């Protein structure tokens, strides 16, 4: 059975869930982060990701992989 998690701290999703737990595995939706600098945007996006993960019962230690996409490679 799959269980969707959409924590109230995150924007209301439309057409997706922030996290879905299937068995012992949690699948996380991509997150964006607001802010002026790349560091602020990264911190906000990672904070949103961890909020979704914790809502599904996970912790940062449970992450197996993380992909980061940037639009300005030179700034990164």
């Amino acid at each position: 059975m799959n269980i969707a998690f959409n924590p109230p701290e995150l924007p209301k999703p439309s057409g997706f869930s922030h996290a879905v737990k299937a068995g012992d595995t949690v699948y996380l939706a991509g997150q964006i982060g607001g802010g002026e600098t790349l560091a602020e945007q990264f911190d906000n996006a990672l904070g949103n990701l961890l909020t979704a993960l914790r809502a599904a019962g996970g912790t940062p230690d449970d992450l197996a992989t993380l992909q980061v996409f940037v639009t300005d490679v030179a700034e990164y």
Side-chain angles (χ1 to χ4, degrees):
M1 182 163 109
N2 297 342
I3 304 170
F5 295 88
N6 294 300
E9 304 94 322
L10 298 179
K12 184 176 178 181
S14 179
F16 72 98
S17 292
H18 288 290
V20 174
K21 188 170 186 177
D24 291 333
T25 303
V26 175
Y27 297 92
L28 299 169
Q31 299 292 325
I32 60 171
E36 293 296 317
T37 67
L38 180 65
E40 289 172 344
Q41 293 173 25
F42 180 83
D43 285 347
N44 290 331
L46 186 58
N48 291 344
L49 186 82
L50 293 177
T51 296
L53 178 62
R54 288 185 178 115
T59 69
D61 288 340
D62 296 322
L63 287 173
T65 184
L66 179 66
Q67 289 184 327
V68 177
F69 296 94
V70 298
T71 57
D72 188 339
V73 175
E75 185 178 354
Y76 177 75

